[in-house]
Amino acid sequence: MTVRFRSVLICLFVVVVAGWQVDAQQRQLKPGFNLFSVEQDIQLGREAASEIEKQVQVSSDRELTEYFQRIGRRLASQPAAGKFPYTFKVVLDKDINAFALPGGFTYMNTGLIVQADNEAQIAGVIAHEISHVALRHGTNQASKANLIQLPALLAGGMAGSNTMLGQLAQLGIGLGAQSVLLKFSRGAEQDADLLGARIMSSAGYNPLDMARFFEKLEAAAGKGGPAFQFLSSHPKPGNRVKAVEQEIRYLPAREYDAGEGDLARMKTIVDSLHKNMPARRAPSNAQGTGPSRPADARPAGGFSQCQGPGFDMACPGNWKTFGDQRSGSVTFAAEQGLVQTGTGVSIAYGALAGTYSPADGRVVLDRDTAQLIRQFQADNPGLRASGSARRGRVDGSPALVTPLIAQSAFAGEREMSQLVTVDRGNALFYLVLIAPESESRYAASAFDQMLRSVRFRQH
Ligand code: ZN
C-alpha cells in the first residue's frame, strides 16, 4: 500500500498551560473512546512503521540517532507518557517534520534539527508527539469514524494473512494525508499540547522553549521558508503562541536542566548528511525555475512529437526537450517542472529518457534494472523502488515498469515516478516518468499515452 509520508502531518505542539499551576484547575487528560486494544495500537503502529520505513530514508548515523533516542527516552519515561514500546528514529529529510504512529513509533526529520535553537525545542516536538500516542488519538479517531465495521474486524482477531493495516485500508482507514490515524482534531492537538507541556516540565525541559520555536517557525513560514508546509495545517498558530506567552507567567519557577548532547555537533552532522543528498540532475542546458507550483508544469496543450536517443515519442505540447541526443539522455518537461535546488537543477515533473549498456553487452532485464536504480540512488539517496514491478512490452520489446518513490524538489512533496526499462538486446532503454504525488491523477494519463507512443528507430 502507499504511504504518503510527506503529507503525514505532524501536529504542532503548543504549550497550553492553562490550569497548570492550580491543581484544582488542571485538566484531566485520558485516552477517549476506543475500539482498539492497547495491543492493537501497538500492532497497527508496528505494521505502519514497517511500511513507512520502506519509503523514507532512516538515518544510520549512530551519534545522531542516539542523541534523538536519549531525548525521546527521557520524555517517554515520564509516567504521563504511558507504557508504550516507544522507539525513536531519525529520517534523512530536509523538510521540517516529525510524527508518531500508534503504539509509540516516533520519527523526526533531520530538517527539524536544522531549525531548532536548543534541545528543549526538539524535546517539545517529541513531547507533543508522545502525547498523541499516550492519549491514543489515532485509534480514538479511527474508532469514532467507523463504528459499524470496525468492531467486527477488531474482534475477528485479524484472521487470515492480511495485516491489520491492510484490513483497515479496506475500511478507508489508511496513512494518507487526511487519515484519521495521523491528522488530529483541534481538540486533540490542544490536549497533546497540554500533556506535552507537562511531560516536558517533568522531564526537565522548559515548556517556554516551545513557544519560542513556534514563533521561529511562524516567522520562517511568513518568508516562504521550509516551515510553511508544516504550519499550514495548523489553525492560527500565532494566537496559540500568544496564549502560551500569557499563560507561561503563571508557571512555577523551577530548574530546567535537561541536556542529552551537543546540539551544535548534531547540526554539523546533519549539515554534512544534507550535503550528500544530491537531487537528480537535469541536463546542463536546462534552467531551473524559482519556487513554482506543480500545477504549472502539468501536461497540457495536446501532444506533439518529440525525440530522444534512438526513439520517437509523443510529448505533452507544453513540454520542451532538454539535453542532447548524443549525450545519451534527454529530459522532457515544462520549464516549471525543472526546479533549482541547492545542488543543481532537479527534474521535479517531467520525463528522463536514455540508454544504459550492461558491462557484458547483453541485457538481463531484472538485473540491469536493479543496477540502473542503484545508479540513480547514487545521485539521489532517498530514491527507492516501491512495490512490485509490472512486466509488459514497449514497441514490441520486453519491458519492466518499476514504481519509484523519492523526495520531490517541489517543497513539501513526495515524488511518485515510474521507471520503464526495455530490453533492446545489447542496451537497456529507460524512461523515467516523474511527477509529484499531488499531481498523480493529472500525470497518469499523459504518462500512459507517452509510453504507448514510444517507437524505437532502427539502427
Ligand atoms: Zn499534534
Side-chain angles (χ1 to χ4, degrees):
M1 75 164 284
T2 303
V3 178
R4 295 189 52 179
F5 174 75
R6 174 151 325 266
S7 5
V8 167
L9 300 168
I10 171 188
C11 1
L12 255 202
F13 48 82
V14 176
V15 185
V16 177
V17 282
W20 173 279
Q21 195 182 26
V22 185
D23 277 345
Q25 290 183 350
Q26 195 164 33
R27 257 172 62 206
Q28 287 285 311
L29 291 167
K30 285 183 181 157
F33 167 73
N34 209 312
L35 293 166
F36 292 74
S37 67
V38 167
E39 290 68 32
Q40 285 172 325
D41 270 30
I42 296 167
Q43 182 188 342
L44 176 60
R46 185 171 288 127
E47 290 174 9
S50 114
E51 276 303 313
I52 279 173
E53 287 180 26
K54 286 178 197 160
Q55 314 210 356
V56 301
Q57 195 176 4
V58 172
S59 173
S60 57
D61 186 276
R62 202 171 146 186
E63 205 174 338
L64 196 58
T65 302
E66 288 179 354
Y67 175 64
F68 180 39
Q69 287 173 340
R70 284 194 300 273
I71 298 172
R73 286 184 194 132
R74 175 182 274 268
L75 295 163
S77 64
Q78 305 306 315
K83 293 195 187 311
F84 291 91
Y86 286 99
T87 60
F88 301 92
K89 293 183 181 177
V90 177
V91 172
L92 193 53
D93 192 322
K94 292 176 185 173
D95 276 12
I96 300 168
N97 211 348
F99 67 100
L101 298 165
F105 304 86
T106 310
Y107 299 83
M108 171 178 71
N109 281 6
T110 44
L112 195 75
I113 295 172
V114 173
Q115 294 297 322
D117 294 319
N118 58 43
E119 187 179 307
Q121 293 184 347
I122 295 171
V125 178
I126 306 314
H128 174 98
E129 292 303 320
I130 283 175
S131 300
H132 280 309
V133 173
L135 294 170
R136 305 183 62 205
H137 283 151
T139 49
N140 164 255
Q141 292 190 152
S143 298
K144 288 189 286 193
N146 196 312
L147 288 166
I148 308 299
Q149 295 153 294
L150 202 50
L153 186 154
L154 294 169
M158 299 300 125
S161 59
N162 206 348
T163 60
M164 181 183 266
L165 200 60
Q167 294 191 43
L168 288 176
Q170 288 167 15
L171 302 186
I173 300 171
L175 289 170
Q178 301 304 318
S179 170
V180 291
L181 290 173
L182 287 158
K183 186 168 186 181
F184 305 114
S185 69
R186 197 188 166 111
E189 289 302 321
Q190 287 167 347
D191 285 357
D193 293 342
L194 180 51
L195 191 65
R198 293 177 190 172
I199 290 173
M200 272 186 91
S201 181
S202 65
Y205 291 109
N206 186 352
L208 182 57
D209 282 306
M210 284 301 83
R212 293 190 184 123
F213 196 29
F214 219 141
E215 277 186 338
K216 179 177 173 166
L217 294 181
E218 214 179 333
K223 293 179 197 135
F228 179 74
Q229 189 74 15
F230 188 54
L231 290 175
S232 63
S233 57
H234 298 276
K236 294 182 184 168
N239 294 345
R240 293 165 85 181
V241 170
K242 210 169 277 176
V244 172
E245 285 176 341
Q246 283 169 1
E247 294 295 336
I248 216 106
R249 289 178 288 168
Y250 301 109
L251 268 175
R254 58 187 302 167
E255 203 68 36
Y256 293 121
D257 54 0
E260 294 293 354
D262 180 356
L263 181 61
R265 161 100 186 122
M266 300 305 149
K267 282 174 182 273
T268 309
I269 294 171
V270 167
D271 278 349
S272 82
L273 291 173
H274 284 181
K275 281 204 183 82
N276 290 318
M277 285 174 68
R280 178 171 30 209
R281 282 162 204 276
S284 54
N285 63 341
Q287 295 287 311
T289 63
S292 63
R293 296 176 311 135
D296 297 333
R298 188 178 293 165
F303 283 83
S304 56
Q305 205 65 8
C306 55
Q307 293 191 330
F311 73 100
D312 298 301
M313 181 171 73
C315 285
N318 61 328
W319 286 14
K320 297 176 181 172
T321 305
F322 301 93
D324 188 319
Q325 293 197 35
R326 287 163 299 177
S327 71
S329 86
V330 295
T331 295
F332 307 104
E335 278 167 7
Q336 294 90 338
L338 302 172
V339 176
Q340 184 77 49
T341 67
T343 50
V345 176
S346 178
I347 308 162
Y349 200 158
L352 173 74
T355 51
Y356 164 75
S357 301
D360 58 6
R362 195 75 218 160
V363 169
V364 179
L365 197 51
D366 294 76
R367 177 198 68 183
D368 296 328
T369 298
Q371 180 59 35
L372 185 64
I373 292 172
R374 275 193 290 276
Q375 289 199 2
F376 286 148
Q377 282 169 334
D379 211 30
N380 190 344
L383 179 142
R384 62 200 57 224
S386 154
S388 42
R390 286 178 286 119
R391 277 171 207 285
R393 283 186 177 267
V394 172
D395 193 20
S397 297
L400 206 56
V401 181
T402 310
L404 300 177
I405 191 158
Q407 179 173 336
S408 173
F410 287 121
E413 285 270 9
R414 191 140 195 92
E415 181 177 286
M416 310 289 289
S417 44
Q418 307 278 331
L419 168 63
V420 183
T421 42
V422 185
D423 180 352
R424 295 287 293 151
N426 55 4
L428 186 77
F429 165 82
Y430 66 85
L431 178 66
V432 197
L433 300 159
I434 304 157
E437 190 172 18
S438 66
E439 285 288 309
S440 312
R441 67 198 170 105
Y442 298 104
S445 68
F447 287 171
D448 192 47
Q449 188 157 347
M450 289 167 72
L451 187 54
R452 280 187 285 113
S453 71
V454 170
R455 293 293 175 269
F456 297 107
R457 292 194 290 267
Q458 301 305 317
H459 36 245

PDB file of all heavy atoms in Angstrom, residues 1-26:
ATOM      1  N   MET A   1       0.838  -1.198   0.000  1.00  0.00           N
ATOM      2  CA  MET A   1       0.000   0.000   0.000  1.00  0.00           C
ATOM      3  C   MET A   1       0.866   1.239   0.000  1.00  0.00           C
ATOM      4  O   MET A   1       2.037   1.191   0.315  1.00  0.00           O
ATOM      5  CB  MET A   1      -0.929  -0.011   1.196  1.00  0.00           C
ATOM      6  CG  MET A   1      -0.275   0.313   2.531  1.00  0.00           C
ATOM      7  SD  MET A   1      -1.509   0.702   3.727  1.00  0.00           S
ATOM      8  CE  MET A   1      -1.951   2.335   3.231  1.00  0.00           C
ATOM      9  N   THR A   2       0.250   2.308  -0.354  1.00  0.00           N
ATOM     10  CA  THR A   2       1.004   3.544  -0.485  1.00  0.00           C
ATOM     11  C   THR A   2       0.925   4.346   0.803  1.00  0.00           C
ATOM     12  O   THR A   2      -0.130   4.514   1.374  1.00  0.00           O
ATOM     13  CB  THR A   2       0.410   4.378  -1.624  1.00  0.00           C
ATOM     14  OG1 THR A   2       0.454   3.573  -2.771  1.00  0.00           O
ATOM     15  CG2 THR A   2       1.190   5.634  -1.840  1.00  0.00           C
ATOM     16  N   VAL A   3       2.036   4.813   1.227  1.00  0.00           N
ATOM     17  CA  VAL A   3       2.051   5.643   2.416  1.00  0.00           C
ATOM     18  C   VAL A   3       2.512   7.026   2.022  1.00  0.00           C
ATOM     19  O   VAL A   3       3.578   7.185   1.458  1.00  0.00           O
ATOM     20  CB  VAL A   3       3.008   5.066   3.475  1.00  0.00           C
ATOM     21  CG1 VAL A   3       3.034   5.979   4.679  1.00  0.00           C
ATOM     22  CG2 VAL A   3       2.575   3.676   3.869  1.00  0.00           C
ATOM     23  N   ARG A   4       1.691   8.009   2.238  1.00  0.00           N
ATOM     24  CA  ARG A   4       2.070   9.373   1.853  1.00  0.00           C
ATOM     25  C   ARG A   4       2.809  10.005   3.014  1.00  0.00           C
ATOM     26  O   ARG A   4       2.268  10.791   3.767  1.00  0.00           O
ATOM     27  CB  ARG A   4       0.843  10.189   1.502  1.00  0.00           C
ATOM     28  CG  ARG A   4       0.151   9.648   0.275  1.00  0.00           C
ATOM     29  CD  ARG A   4      -0.907  10.582  -0.182  1.00  0.00           C
ATOM     30  NE  ARG A   4      -0.370  11.930  -0.332  1.00  0.00           N
ATOM     31  CZ  ARG A   4      -1.096  12.944  -0.737  1.00  0.00           C
ATOM     32  NH1 ARG A   4      -2.338  12.793  -1.033  1.00  0.00           N
ATOM     33  NH2 ARG A   4      -0.544  14.135  -0.840  1.00  0.00           N
ATOM     34  N   PHE A   5       4.070   9.644   3.099  1.00  0.00           N
ATOM     35  CA  PHE A   5       4.799  10.094   4.276  1.00  0.00           C
ATOM     36  C   PHE A   5       4.868  11.596   4.355  1.00  0.00           C
ATOM     37  O   PHE A   5       4.673  12.204   5.377  1.00  0.00           O
ATOM     38  CB  PHE A   5       6.216   9.519   4.250  1.00  0.00           C
ATOM     39  CG  PHE A   5       7.058  10.067   5.354  1.00  0.00           C
ATOM     40  CD1 PHE A   5       6.855   9.616   6.635  1.00  0.00           C
ATOM     41  CD2 PHE A   5       7.985  11.046   5.125  1.00  0.00           C
ATOM     42  CE1 PHE A   5       7.598  10.120   7.669  1.00  0.00           C
ATOM     43  CE2 PHE A   5       8.731  11.557   6.159  1.00  0.00           C
ATOM     44  CZ  PHE A   5       8.532  11.093   7.425  1.00  0.00           C
ATOM     45  N   ARG A   6       5.165  12.211   3.206  1.00  0.00           N
ATOM     46  CA  ARG A   6       5.376  13.645   3.252  1.00  0.00           C
ATOM     47  C   ARG A   6       4.156  14.366   3.755  1.00  0.00           C
ATOM     48  O   ARG A   6       4.229  15.367   4.409  1.00  0.00           O
ATOM     49  CB  ARG A   6       5.745  14.177   1.873  1.00  0.00           C
ATOM     50  CG  ARG A   6       5.828  15.667   1.862  1.00  0.00           C
ATOM     51  CD  ARG A   6       6.801  16.096   0.823  1.00  0.00           C
ATOM     52  NE  ARG A   6       7.878  15.162   0.723  1.00  0.00           N
ATOM     53  CZ  ARG A   6       8.993  15.293   1.364  1.00  0.00           C
ATOM     54  NH1 ARG A   6       9.203  16.313   2.137  1.00  0.00           N
ATOM     55  NH2 ARG A   6       9.927  14.408   1.232  1.00  0.00           N
ATOM     56  N   SER A   7       2.994  13.823   3.417  1.00  0.00           N
ATOM     57  CA  SER A   7       1.815  14.538   3.839  1.00  0.00           C
ATOM     58  C   SER A   7       1.349  14.100   5.214  1.00  0.00           C
ATOM     59  O   SER A   7       0.392  14.599   5.731  1.00  0.00           O
ATOM     60  CB  SER A   7       0.715  14.341   2.844  1.00  0.00           C
ATOM     61  OG  SER A   7       1.101  13.451   1.875  1.00  0.00           O
ATOM     62  N   VAL A   8       2.056  13.156   5.775  1.00  0.00           N
ATOM     63  CA  VAL A   8       1.735  12.800   7.139  1.00  0.00           C
ATOM     64  C   VAL A   8       2.048  14.027   7.951  1.00  0.00           C
ATOM     65  O   VAL A   8       3.177  14.446   8.036  1.00  0.00           O
ATOM     66  CB  VAL A   8       2.601  11.629   7.610  1.00  0.00           C
ATOM     67  CG1 VAL A   8       2.477  11.473   9.098  1.00  0.00           C
ATOM     68  CG2 VAL A   8       2.189  10.352   6.915  1.00  0.00           C
ATOM     69  N   LEU A   9       1.059  14.615   8.501  1.00  0.00           N
ATOM     70  CA  LEU A   9       1.289  15.912   9.094  1.00  0.00           C
ATOM     71  C   LEU A   9       1.598  15.761  10.551  1.00  0.00           C
ATOM     72  O   LEU A   9       0.874  15.158  11.278  1.00  0.00           O
ATOM     73  CB  LEU A   9       0.031  16.754   8.942  1.00  0.00           C
ATOM     74  CG  LEU A   9      -0.322  16.923   7.490  1.00  0.00           C
ATOM     75  CD1 LEU A   9      -1.698  17.501   7.366  1.00  0.00           C
ATOM     76  CD2 LEU A   9       0.669  17.814   6.816  1.00  0.00           C
ATOM     77  N   ILE A  10       2.632  16.326  10.926  1.00  0.00           N
ATOM     78  CA  ILE A  10       2.913  16.360  12.329  1.00  0.00           C
ATOM     79  C   ILE A  10       2.084  17.448  12.852  1.00  0.00           C
ATOM     80  O   ILE A  10       1.811  18.393  12.199  1.00  0.00           O
ATOM     81  CB  ILE A  10       4.321  16.750  12.579  1.00  0.00           C
ATOM     82  CG1 ILE A  10       4.411  16.962  14.013  1.00  0.00           C
ATOM     83  CG2 ILE A  10       4.571  17.974  11.952  1.00  0.00           C
ATOM     84  CD1 ILE A  10       5.680  17.531  14.344  1.00  0.00           C
ATOM     85  N   CYS A  11       1.755  17.316  13.933  1.00  0.00           N
ATOM     86  CA  CYS A  11       0.890  18.206  14.560  1.00  0.00           C
ATOM     87  C   CYS A  11       1.762  19.002  15.430  1.00  0.00           C
ATOM     88  O   CYS A  11       2.648  18.479  16.047  1.00  0.00           O
ATOM     89  CB  CYS A  11       0.060  17.343  15.362  1.00  0.00           C
ATOM     90  SG  CYS A  11       0.601  15.731  15.114  1.00  0.00           S
ATOM     91  N   LEU A  12       1.559  20.223  15.376  1.00  0.00           N
ATOM     92  CA  LEU A  12       2.407  21.106  16.160  1.00  0.00           C
ATOM     93  C   LEU A  12       1.937  21.063  17.561  1.00  0.00           C
ATOM     94  O   LEU A  12       0.803  20.867  17.841  1.00  0.00           O
ATOM     95  CB  LEU A  12       2.282  22.497  15.635  1.00  0.00           C
ATOM     96  CG  LEU A  12       3.460  22.902  14.857  1.00  0.00           C
ATOM     97  CD1 LEU A  12       3.521  24.379  14.824  1.00  0.00           C
ATOM     98  CD2 LEU A  12       4.724  22.396  15.435  1.00  0.00           C
ATOM     99  N   PHE A  13       2.782  21.276  18.348  1.00  0.00           N
ATOM    100  CA  PHE A  13       2.742  21.260  19.761  1.00  0.00           C
ATOM    101  C   PHE A  13       2.676  22.669  20.166  1.00  0.00           C
ATOM    102  O   PHE A  13       3.313  23.493  19.636  1.00  0.00           O
ATOM    103  CB  PHE A  13       4.092  20.742  20.194  1.00  0.00           C
ATOM    104  CG  PHE A  13       5.087  21.478  19.452  1.00  0.00           C
ATOM    105  CD1 PHE A  13       5.514  22.723  19.837  1.00  0.00           C
ATOM    106  CD2 PHE A  13       5.482  21.015  18.205  1.00  0.00           C
ATOM    107  CE1 PHE A  13       6.361  23.453  19.040  1.00  0.00           C
ATOM    108  CE2 PHE A  13       6.309  21.794  17.444  1.00  0.00           C
ATOM    109  CZ  PHE A  13       6.744  22.986  17.884  1.00  0.00           C
ATOM    110  N   VAL A  14       1.874  22.881  21.127  1.00  0.00           N
ATOM    111  CA  VAL A  14       1.865  24.211  21.698  1.00  0.00           C
ATOM    112  C   VAL A  14       1.698  23.985  23.144  1.00  0.00           C
ATOM    113  O   VAL A  14       1.039  23.075  23.553  1.00  0.00           O
ATOM    114  CB  VAL A  14       0.668  24.967  21.224  1.00  0.00           C
ATOM    115  CG1 VAL A  14       0.643  26.297  21.901  1.00  0.00           C
ATOM    116  CG2 VAL A  14       0.736  25.130  19.768  1.00  0.00           C
ATOM    117  N   VAL A  15       2.365  24.805  23.869  1.00  0.00           N
ATOM    118  CA  VAL A  15       2.272  24.619  25.295  1.00  0.00           C
ATOM    119  C   VAL A  15       1.076  25.399  25.790  1.00  0.00           C
ATOM    120  O   VAL A  15       1.071  26.606  25.786  1.00  0.00           O
ATOM    121  CB  VAL A  15       3.544  25.125  25.948  1.00  0.00           C
ATOM    122  CG1 VAL A  15       3.520  24.825  27.412  1.00  0.00           C
ATOM    123  CG2 VAL A  15       4.718  24.488  25.266  1.00  0.00           C
ATOM    124  N   VAL A  16       0.083  24.707  26.156  1.00  0.00           N
ATOM    125  CA  VAL A  16      -1.071  25.369  26.743  1.00  0.00           C
ATOM    126  C   VAL A  16      -0.992  25.098  28.230  1.00  0.00           C
ATOM    127  O   VAL A  16      -1.063  23.965  28.651  1.00  0.00           O
ATOM    128  CB  VAL A  16      -2.382  24.792  26.182  1.00  0.00           C
ATOM    129  CG1 VAL A  16      -3.567  25.449  26.849  1.00  0.00           C
ATOM    130  CG2 VAL A  16      -2.424  25.002  24.683  1.00  0.00           C
ATOM    131  N   VAL A  17      -0.805  26.134  28.957  1.00  0.00           N
ATOM    132  CA  VAL A  17      -0.554  25.887  30.365  1.00  0.00           C
ATOM    133  C   VAL A  17      -1.689  26.380  31.252  1.00  0.00           C
ATOM    134  O   VAL A  17      -1.497  26.554  32.435  1.00  0.00           O
ATOM    135  CB  VAL A  17       0.784  26.494  30.815  1.00  0.00           C
ATOM    136  CG1 VAL A  17       1.922  25.615  30.374  1.00  0.00           C
ATOM    137  CG2 VAL A  17       0.953  27.883  30.260  1.00  0.00           C
ATOM    138  N   ALA A  18      -2.841  26.607  30.651  1.00  0.00           N
ATOM    139  CA  ALA A  18      -3.977  26.999  31.479  1.00  0.00           C
ATOM    140  C   ALA A  18      -4.220  25.923  32.530  1.00  0.00           C
ATOM    141  O   ALA A  18      -4.225  24.748  32.229  1.00  0.00           O
ATOM    142  CB  ALA A  18      -5.216  27.180  30.612  1.00  0.00           C
ATOM    143  N   GLY A  19      -4.418  26.328  33.729  1.00  0.00           N
ATOM    144  CA  GLY A  19      -4.716  25.361  34.771  1.00  0.00           C
ATOM    145  C   GLY A  19      -3.501  24.611  35.247  1.00  0.00           C
ATOM    146  O   GLY A  19      -3.569  23.688  36.028  1.00  0.00           O
ATOM    147  N   TRP A  20      -2.358  25.029  34.801  1.00  0.00           N
ATOM    148  CA  TRP A  20      -1.121  24.341  35.122  1.00  0.00           C
ATOM    149  C   TRP A  20      -0.787  24.452  36.604  1.00  0.00           C
ATOM    150  O   TRP A  20      -0.435  23.492  37.258  1.00  0.00           O
ATOM    151  CB  TRP A  20      -0.018  24.979  34.266  1.00  0.00           C
ATOM    152  CG  TRP A  20       1.339  24.515  34.583  1.00  0.00           C
ATOM    153  CD1 TRP A  20       2.137  24.947  35.589  1.00  0.00           C
ATOM    154  CD2 TRP A  20       2.061  23.504  33.901  1.00  0.00           C
ATOM    155  NE1 TRP A  20       3.318  24.274  35.562  1.00  0.00           N
ATOM    156  CE2 TRP A  20       3.301  23.373  34.529  1.00  0.00           C
ATOM    157  CE3 TRP A  20       1.777  22.688  32.803  1.00  0.00           C
ATOM    158  CZ2 TRP A  20       4.255  22.471  34.096  1.00  0.00           C
ATOM    159  CZ3 TRP A  20       2.740  21.803  32.397  1.00  0.00           C
ATOM    160  CH2 TRP A  20       3.958  21.703  33.041  1.00  0.00           C
ATOM    161  N   GLN A  21      -0.915  25.666  37.073  1.00  0.00           N
ATOM    162  CA  GLN A  21      -0.415  25.968  38.403  1.00  0.00           C
ATOM    163  C   GLN A  21      -1.341  25.454  39.495  1.00  0.00           C
ATOM    164  O   GLN A  21      -0.910  24.911  40.487  1.00  0.00           O
ATOM    165  CB  GLN A  21      -0.264  27.487  38.518  1.00  0.00           C
ATOM    166  CG  GLN A  21       0.565  27.919  39.682  1.00  0.00           C
ATOM    167  CD  GLN A  21       0.624  29.432  39.732  1.00  0.00           C
ATOM    168  OE1 GLN A  21      -0.259  30.122  39.252  1.00  0.00           O
ATOM    169  NE2 GLN A  21       1.674  29.942  40.313  1.00  0.00           N
ATOM    170  N   VAL A  22      -2.605  25.641  39.242  1.00  0.00           N
ATOM    171  CA  VAL A  22      -3.569  25.283  40.280  1.00  0.00           C
ATOM    172  C   VAL A  22      -4.080  23.876  40.013  1.00  0.00           C
ATOM    173  O   VAL A  22      -4.718  23.621  39.006  1.00  0.00           O
ATOM    174  CB  VAL A  22      -4.745  26.285  40.273  1.00  0.00           C
ATOM    175  CG1 VAL A  22      -5.689  25.990  41.422  1.00  0.00           C
ATOM    176  CG2 VAL A  22      -4.216  27.707  40.339  1.00  0.00           C
ATOM    177  N   ASP A  23      -3.777  22.994  40.919  1.00  0.00           N
ATOM    178  CA  ASP A  23      -4.135  21.595  40.705  1.00  0.00           C
ATOM    179  C   ASP A  23      -5.624  21.418  40.449  1.00  0.00           C
ATOM    180  O   ASP A  23      -6.034  20.616  39.624  1.00  0.00           O
ATOM    181  CB  ASP A  23      -3.712  20.750  41.915  1.00  0.00           C
ATOM    182  CG  ASP A  23      -2.237  20.382  41.807  1.00  0.00           C
ATOM    183  OD1 ASP A  23      -1.682  20.536  40.698  1.00  0.00           O
ATOM    184  OD2 ASP A  23      -1.660  19.948  42.799  1.00  0.00           O
ATOM    185  N   ALA A  24      -6.403  22.193  41.150  1.00  0.00           N
ATOM    186  CA  ALA A  24      -7.848  22.051  41.027  1.00  0.00           C
ATOM    187  C   ALA A  24      -8.310  22.344  39.607  1.00  0.00           C
ATOM    188  O   ALA A  24      -9.339  21.859  39.168  1.00  0.00           O
ATOM    189  CB  ALA A  24      -8.544  22.982  42.012  1.00  0.00           C
ATOM    190  N   GLN A  25      -7.515  23.151  38.881  1.00  0.00           N
ATOM    191  CA  GLN A  25      -7.925  23.525  37.530  1.00  0.00           C
ATOM    192  C   GLN A  25      -7.225  22.693  36.466  1.00  0.00           C
ATOM    193  O   GLN A  25      -7.533  22.826  35.294  1.00  0.00           O
ATOM    194  CB  GLN A  25      -7.609  25.007  37.280  1.00  0.00           C
ATOM    195  CG  GLN A  25      -8.507  25.928  38.072  1.00  0.00           C
ATOM    196  CD  GLN A  25      -8.240  27.375  37.756  1.00  0.00           C
ATOM    197  OE1 GLN A  25      -7.262  27.686  37.087  1.00  0.00           O
ATOM    198  NE2 GLN A  25      -9.086  28.250  38.246  1.00  0.00           N
ATOM    199  N   GLN A  26      -6.278  21.882  36.885  1.00  0.00           N
ATOM    200  CA  GLN A  26      -5.524  21.137  35.879  1.00  0.00           C
ATOM    201  C   GLN A  26      -6.441  20.125  35.198  1.00  0.00           C
ATOM    202  O   GLN A  26      -7.099  19.332  35.866  1.00  0.00           O
ATOM    203  CB  GLN A  26      -4.349  20.417  36.531  1.00  0.00           C
ATOM    204  CG  GLN A  26      -3.350  19.949  35.506  1.00  0.00           C
ATOM    205  CD  GLN A  26      -2.023  19.588  36.137  1.00  0.00           C
ATOM    206  OE1 GLN A  26      -1.971  19.110  37.259  1.00  0.00           O
ATOM    207  NE2 GLN A  26      -0.957  19.814  35.408  1.00  0.00           N
TER     208      GLN A  26
END
